[in-house]
Amino acid sequence: MRTETATRPAPFRPAILRAVPALGVGAALVALALTLTNDFHLYVAFMAGVYYLCASGMNVLAGYAGQKSLGQAGLFAAGAYTVALLTTRLEVSPVLALAAAPIVAAGVGVLIALPSLRVKGPSLALVTLAFGLVVEKLVTEWTDLFGGAQGVYGIAPLEFQGEPFALRHWVVLVIVLAVATHLLLGHLLNGRFGRALLALQSDEIAAECAGISVYRYKILAFVVAAALCGLGGALVAQQNQYFNSDFVTFHLSVFILLLVLLGGAGNLYGPIAGAAILTATEVFLAQWPSVQHFIYGSMLLFALYLMPTGVAGTIARVLPRKAVAEPVVTGAPLTLSRTTDDPAGGPLLEMRDIAKAFGGVVTADKVGLRLHAHRVHALIGPNGAGKSTLINILTGVIPADSGSIRLAGEDITRASAHSRADRGIARTFQNLRLFGAMTVLDNVLVGAHARIGATGREAEAVAKAAAVLEFVGLAEHAQALAGSLPYGLQRRVELARALAGDPVLLLLDEPAAGLNPRETAELGQLIKRIGRLGVAVLMVEHDMGLVMGISDEIVVLDRGIVIAEGTPREIQTNPRVIEAYLGREEAPADDEADGKEEERAC
Amino acid sequence: MLQAIIGGLTLGSVYALIALGFNLTYTTTRTLNFAQGDFVSVGAFVGLGTVGVLTAALGADAVGYVWFYALAAVAAALAMGVLGLPLYLAAIRPFAGKPGMSWVVSTIGFGIVLQSAALSLWGLGARMLAPPFGDEVFRVGEVGFRSQELVVMALAFAILGGFDIAMRRTALGRCMRAVALNRDAAALMGIDVPRVMALAFLASSALAGLSGVLVAPILSASLFMGVIIALKGFSAAIIGGLTNPRGCMAGGLLIGLVESLTALWSAQWREIMVFLLVILVLAMAPNGMFGRKLVEKV
């Protein structure tokens, strides 16, 4: 689910200061909970807290990573039965059992993530749903271990001063856990981790080419969701001191997904809104059991129609937005931090004997390429010559059938797309692949993903991103949503995203497609400046004016074979090139050489 | 053994009907009705109600009952088909063609409304619908099977075959396939896309209602029976290949067979086996067994 509102607080405020409001609200809630004496109210507060824990994990998975799982009940059960079995069978201390529950659930989460990684949309929903049902049936039928509908009695609860926790203690514990979870997730999701997840939700291939390991991040999202859901299950089991298979139902899985979708997927505050509203609704409707389900169903039916971004998203839109353009501070002029000279004794990138065939269509036949730092290379050829395929092979989007690729002397033939991006190969796409619902600045920061590193030098990264935006002339659009910009600017955002990763090699797939002549001329100047930074540039382009104007070297490809290499002047007079473009006989002269497949005379 | 196979194919053909419904709505609108289970249950009860009314009005005899049952099936299909329209208007149309899966929530909501309305009408209890050709067991050699199994299988296969032909030979079928392949191009060619989508939901819901009447004499009908039947239909559609109607049918038969063969060994494990199979198939073939692989052009 895409969110239109980016709820990112200013990145420079110290973490402690940012935590103050949440800590304050938490303290107020604890104080309020301690004044409650009615057990029913306390129980409602406890369940709201548990729902929040489950929902906040689910939000990471469904809201940020875009993986709509329908099997969370299985993970809830994993946590609950962990404490149940550990404390009753093995007499492990309740504290240890509670700590073990999210870990076990996270392990089960990896188990469900593995088959889920290959499927999308409805198939993903089914895989997770099937997982939830298998768990449900297992705990129902395997009575020797799980007790089935009889359940497990005598689960040891936490203790306070030698006494089992009273309901009030549970509520305080849940509030503390919820605030801690909120702060931790807030820290993660407002930074590199959250950006990576939103990026992969929006476009997996673009995310991978920006240096994000889609595989690893999806598993991480599953693990976070599983651990928090397992924690929720463990708390319920310990508080009740009893757990049976009736808790584990398909409805619970649906409910957990609803908490997120209704509250606002991909919004840090969505789970809070979802947990509060759905708990309140349940309690309120319990007064009229006959119409309870009816109203509940109608709510679901119309909620997302009326509030497509959930409750939290709707509130965020109604509230006046904070000063929109928090100006991006421009630092020093852009410099790229990698050493960008050819390695001793060879080109920066050497491609040897690369071959690729799709079925019977050969799109690359023993192609060799040598690309040098500081130089702008152009790859041209008629449509269907295999130019885009070559870019895709270079970036690791498509594996080559044979041949080798060496970057700065290192063999990267088998490296994944994200690790190639990490090593400094950046690209743009023939058809724009921007993260449209994210801001321009965030798009650029995603490009810098690998450079930021796990510890998050966020401030440094933002300054660098600002320099990149300044370099491509987009500084004033930094806070705009990428998808809202005109087409020509979107092309430049993609270029900025590629530059943000400090590339040593920049691959541009038809960068001038769809640009007007003035924009094309500006683009040409920009590409020349990029070359001067020390980057090796390779562009696939049909605009011969642009190609001849800025290239240092041109490679011509026809039907998977390199037919010519050389300077623009050499290429323009090469008879084989003229033949490939215009055919052997005299064809109507077409100086534009716009790349339309020409009738071949042979 | 042979008996189990026949039982499996019977249930499987019902799953195939539901899977076909999922295929229809998915290809035309890229959405699925997560309330299909409630349409199955409510369909069964509409059928029960029809039989009840007819028996009360005309008196029951064996020959008449066959016609009552047939009328009940038609009534259930019609009633559920008509209900498919409000489903489409309220739960699908606002979300079709948009990113995200908001329709999961809205269709579940529609299902809950439908179920609670039905509960207030018919109550919680399970009921039996008598099979049209009596309860006796036919014996062929050593194998015995019930008449209802044959009725279900014959009807289901007839409908599946009919759909297959209709999708290929009729103008409407061609419209549906055109919308499935490329909605924008279909609209430009003058096809009324929203109408085709609404029709897909009508047909899908009608199939669900009919399935309800067909299984009611085999399983006992309750308003909660639909969920698991629809989930198996959903599984059938996905492992067969959601975009391929024949794949959906094959998936349904496979699920039915796995279920009834597992039941030979242990009745409790049949759902576990079915859903483990689903996970396994999808882990190996993410687009289902007969689904087209979608190649993304970069």
Side-chain angles (χ1 to χ4, degrees):
Chain A
M1 183 140 314
R2 292 171 184 205
T3 48
E4 285 163 14
T5 47
T7 46
R8 274 165 46 80
F12 299 117
R13 266 191 294 160
I16 298 292
L17 274 181
R18 257 183 290 154
V20 167
L23 289 175
V25 171
L29 284 176
V30 168
L32 190 67
L34 291 176
T35 63
L36 287 179
T37 47
N38 181 324
D39 264 2
F40 176 68
H41 292 160
L42 281 170
Y43 187 71
V44 169
F46 172 73
M47 283 318 290
V50 169
Y51 289 153
Y52 168 73
L53 286 176
C54 295
S56 63
M58 187 61 178
N59 190 30
V60 174
L61 183 63
Y64 283 81
Q67 309 290 302
K68 309 262 178 330
S69 162
L70 279 171
Q72 294 304 101
L75 300 163
F76 191 85
Y81 281 103
T82 301
V83 288
L85 298 180
L86 280 181
T87 57
T88 56
R89 300 283 169 101
L90 303 174
E91 300 189 351
V92 174
S93 90
V95 179
L96 275 183
L98 184 61
I103 298 171
V104 171
V108 180
V110 173
L111 214 62
I112 168 176
L114 292 178
S116 305
L117 287 172
R118 298 190 56 195
V119 293
K120 293 194 174 110
S123 299
L124 175 73
L126 180 66
V127 169
T128 53
L129 193 154
F131 161 79
L133 288 173
V134 167
V135 172
E136 180 184 334
K137 294 289 168 191
L138 265 182
V139 298
T140 314
E141 304 298 344
W142 194 352
T143 44
D144 292 345
L145 186 60
F146 298 113
Q150 293 280 311
V152 183
Y153 287 93
I155 299 169
L158 296 180
E159 290 180 352
F160 179 65
Q161 295 173 341
E163 293 282 313
F165 262 30
L167 200 42
R168 191 173 345 136
H169 301 129
W170 285 111
V171 174
V172 172
L173 175 68
V174 164
I175 293 173
V176 170
L177 286 173
V179 171
T181 305
H182 177 76
L183 289 175
L184 184 68
L185 288 181
H187 181 71
L188 286 175
L189 293 174
N190 281 325
R192 181 175 178 266
F193 181 68
R195 272 198 308 271
L197 294 181
L198 285 174
L200 78 85
Q201 170 177 15
S202 167
D203 190 326
E204 291 189 9
I205 290 176
E208 185 82 21
C209 288
I212 294 164
S213 170
V214 169
Y215 194 81
R216 193 181 310 149
Y217 272 84
K218 272 194 195 170
I219 292 190
L220 262 175
F222 268 102
V223 163
V224 170
L228 284 169
C229 209
L231 180 64
L235 286 167
V236 168
Q238 280 197 318
Q239 192 276 325
N240 276 322
Q241 301 181 31
Y242 169 71
F243 198 81
N244 75 355
S245 59
D246 290 349
F247 285 89
V248 190
T249 59
F250 175 52
H251 283 112
L252 178 63
S253 297
V254 172
F255 185 77
I256 293 173
L257 182 60
L258 286 183
L259 286 169
V260 174
L261 294 184
L262 202 67
N267 187 317
L268 196 52
Y269 301 95
I272 303 178
I277 290 171
L278 282 181
T279 315
T281 313
E282 267 196 334
V283 173
F284 184 70
L285 289 180
Q287 301 172 48
W288 301 287
S290 55
V291 295
Q292 180 181 4
H293 276 88
F294 201 80
I295 294 178
Y296 189 56
S298 325
M299 245 175 71
L300 302 187
L301 181 52
F302 295 113
L304 287 180
Y305 175 57
L306 299 173
M307 300 178 292
T309 50
V311 175
T314 306
I315 292 174
R317 194 166 333 138
V318 173
L319 289 180
R321 284 189 72 176
K322 274 181 266 173
V324 176
E326 79 189 37
V328 175
V329 195
T330 8
L334 178 68
T335 51
L336 299 178
S337 51
R338 299 196 210 223
T339 52
T340 47
D341 282 320
D342 286 353
L348 176 72
L349 181 120
E350 184 167 30
M351 197 179 204
R352 269 197 199 155
D353 295 336
I354 287 291
K356 179 77 191 176
F358 294 99
V361 185
V362 177
T363 53
D365 187 7
K366 305 232 173 210
V367 174
L369 267 187
R370 294 157 70 88
L371 305 176
H372 301 276
H374 298 280
R375 291 176 76 88
V376 175
H377 310 71
L379 181 60
I380 62 171
N383 272 354
K387 305 180 298 292
S388 285
T389 305
L390 217 53
I391 298 253
N392 287 335
I393 289 174
L394 267 174
T395 48
V397 174
I398 299 175
D401 294 339
S402 63
S404 73
I405 307 170
R406 299 176 84 82
L407 179 71
E410 234 182 304
D411 189 349
I412 57 163
T413 317
R414 302 264 161 266
S416 63
H418 65 87
S419 80
R420 291 185 204 201
D422 193 11
R423 286 164 208 243
I425 300 186
R427 71 171 290 177
T428 65
F429 296 88
Q430 188 175 349
N431 300 312
L432 278 175
R433 285 177 171 268
L434 280 178
F435 311 122
M438 297 166 77
T439 64
V440 170
L441 181 64
D442 277 342
N443 267 275
V444 176
L445 284 169
V446 169
H449 179 84
R451 306 302 294 161
I452 298 177
T455 47
R457 290 178 298 252
E458 187 79 6
E460 202 182 302
V462 173
K464 177 71 180 283
V468 171
L469 286 173
E470 179 84 18
F471 183 82
V472 302
L474 283 174
E476 62 197 293
H477 301 291
Q479 299 295 347
L481 293 183
S484 71
L485 294 180
Y487 181 81
L489 292 184
Q490 291 197 19
R491 284 235 159 237
R492 258 193 275 169
V493 175
E494 232 191 20
L495 196 56
R497 183 176 72 192
L499 275 179
D502 268 3
V504 294
L505 170 61
L506 179 62
L507 307 169
L508 307 172
D509 199 350
E510 300 197 17
L515 298 188
N516 65 34
R518 192 175 57 83
E519 287 172 327
T520 306
E522 284 172 10
L523 176 75
Q525 291 311 307
L526 189 57
I527 294 174
K528 273 172 109 170
R529 277 160 61 211
I530 293 171
R532 263 183 250 130
L533 288 173
V535 180
V537 178
L538 174 68
M539 66 169 170
V540 167
E541 188 48 66
H542 286 305
D543 185 325
M544 285 303 139
L546 181 65
V547 168
M548 296 303 165
I550 66 168
S551 308
D552 299 311
E553 209 167 307
I554 298 176
V555 178
V556 188
L557 201 64
D558 186 25
R559 287 186 260 183
I561 300 170
V562 175
I563 58 169
E565 276 177 276
T567 63
R569 187 172 295 275
E570 289 164 8
I571 294 301
Q572 277 167 322
T573 51
N574 187 315
R576 288 195 66 190
V577 178
I578 295 168
E579 183 195 320
Y581 268 90
L582 301 179
R584 195 168 287 161
E585 287 177 358
E586 278 297 313
D590 186 359
D591 287 340
E592 291 292 316
D594 62 359
K596 293 227 167 65
E597 190 71 62
E598 303 286 345
E599 274 295 316
R600 286 165 204 281
C602 44
Chain B
M1 183 71 183
L2 198 55
Q3 227 155 320
I5 289 178
I6 289 174
L9 288 176
T10 306
L11 276 178
S13 54
V14 172
Y15 301 150
L17 283 179
I18 295 167
L20 186 64
F22 281 126
N23 163 262
L24 279 174
T25 65
Y26 186 74
T27 51
T28 48
T29 64
R30 299 273 165 242
T31 61
L32 299 168
N33 176 14
F34 270 74
Q36 202 80 314
D38 300 304
F39 279 80
V40 173
S41 318
V42 175
F45 273 75
V46 169
L48 269 167
T50 312
V51 167
V53 168
L54 289 174
T55 315
L58 304 170
D61 63 72
V63 180
Y65 185 75
V66 174
W67 291 105
F68 294 171
Y69 184 81
L71 273 174
V74 171
L78 275 179
M80 291 302 106
V82 168
L83 264 181
L85 293 178
L87 170 80
Y88 169 73
L89 291 177
I92 300 293
R93 203 175 57 174
F95 307 115
K98 294 199 186 134
M101 285 166 63
S102 308
W103 45 268
V104 174
V105 179
S106 57
T107 53
I108 287 175
F110 191 92
I112 294 176
V113 170
L114 182 61
Q115 191 189 48
S116 43
L119 277 174
S120 61
L121 208 59
W122 287 300
L124 284 165
R127 304 193 202 163
M128 281 308 289
L129 177 62
F133 296 104
D135 244 343
E136 71 249 57
V137 174
F138 292 90
R139 295 215 155 267
V140 178
E142 305 220 333
V143 190
F145 41 85
R146 289 183 290 165
S147 61
Q148 181 65 13
E149 294 183 329
L150 292 182
V151 172
V152 170
M153 240 191 297
L155 252 174
F157 278 109
I159 290 166
L160 294 175
F163 254 98
D164 201 71
I165 292 167
M167 287 299 276
R168 274 155 217 281
R169 299 282 166 81
T170 66
L172 185 60
R174 273 194 291 273
C175 283
M176 285 213 164
R177 287 195 298 144
V179 173
L181 280 174
N182 188 330
R183 193 181 302 168
D184 294 336
L188 288 173
M189 293 300 113
I191 295 175
D192 184 351
V193 173
R195 203 179 118 240
V196 171
M197 290 181 173
L199 278 175
F201 271 90
L202 191 146
S204 160
S205 310
L207 282 174
L210 180 67
S211 315
V213 179
L214 288 181
V215 291
I218 298 175
L219 316 167
S220 66
S222 87
L223 282 171
F224 303 103
M225 75 169 184
V227 177
I228 198 83
I229 297 176
L231 280 179
K232 285 175 191 160
F234 183 34
S235 308
I238 298 241
I239 66 169
L242 197 43
T243 50
N244 180 340
R246 291 179 179 172
C248 286
M249 300 174 194
L253 297 180
L254 177 69
I255 295 239
L257 279 177
V258 168
E259 180 178 348
S260 78
L261 290 178
T262 311
L264 276 183
W265 157 61
S266 156
Q268 285 90 11
W269 278 78
R270 51 173 204 235
E271 256 99 40
I272 297 183
M273 284 303 287
V274 165
F275 291 112
L276 281 180
L277 173 82
V278 166
I279 295 177
L280 204 71
V281 167
L282 283 181
M284 290 189 302
N287 299 298
M289 295 180 299
F290 306 103
R292 206 160 20 92
K293 188 167 185 249
L294 295 170
V295 181
E296 201 172 358
K297 192 172 185 304
V298 183

